[in-house]
Amino acid sequence: MIAKQIKSYEKIEKYDTETTAILAENYKSIIENLGENIYREGLEKTPERAAKAMQYLTHGYGLDPLEILKSALFTEDHKQMIVVKDIEVYSMCEHHMLPFFGKAHIAYIPNGKIVGLSKIPRVVDAFSRRMQVQERLTDEIKNCIQEALNPLGVAVVIEAQHMCMCMRGIQKKNSVTTTSSFNGAFEKNKTRKEFISLVSNKLS
């Protein structure tokens, strides 16, 4: 039997070192001001971990959603509705810096151009990984798709739970917030109903 050398586990992460250091110092002060001992074992590395986590949770600031869509545009004579639903959304409420999460349902009707399907969830991530409010997030996604594709219409619906409502304040853990944004063909009742039906129903 040939012995194989087992390499030790090495986690590779890329974060801006200066930003990490600044954020870590701020988190250290916050933890201390909350009355905790920053030097105890469980918290000793928490400021750095939190600094890296926050950079990841807001990495959308470094992404250009419009360029994401433009990188995968294709000419296609398709005039029917295209729906991408149940896209996972994870974002950060800008009012309390607590998470909100849920699903986005997006549709557009092409006008000579279609986009690679994976780019739509990437655009959702690019906008959601920022300090956000759900209402603005919904509009930003719609406007970006409209600008990149110039389709006959765009529809965006987001359903999300907000930890600022579940963990604090009113403490309603089962509440769900739904926002929508429509333009073009989706402003017509018939087209909008078709979209809602496709989003709501499970296709066999």
Side-chain angles (χ1 to χ4, degrees), residues 3 30 49 75 83 94 102 108-109 118 135 144-145 156 159 163 171 187 202-203:
I30 290 170
R49 293 191 192 102
T75 301
V83 180
E94 67 182 34
Y108 71 96
I109 300 175
S118 70
E135 297 87 343
C144 184
I145 294 173
V156 180
E159 305 169 287
M163 290 299 99
Q171 295 185 43
E187 293 178 336
K202 295 295 182 181
L203 300 179

Side-chain angles (χ1 to χ4, degrees), residues 138-147 154 156 181-183:
T138 309
D139 286 332
E140 285 179 336
I141 294 169
K142 181 202 69 179
N143 294 339
C144 184
I145 294 173
Q146 182 64 43
E147 183 176 350
V154 184
V156 180
S181 192
F182 304 95
N183 71 8

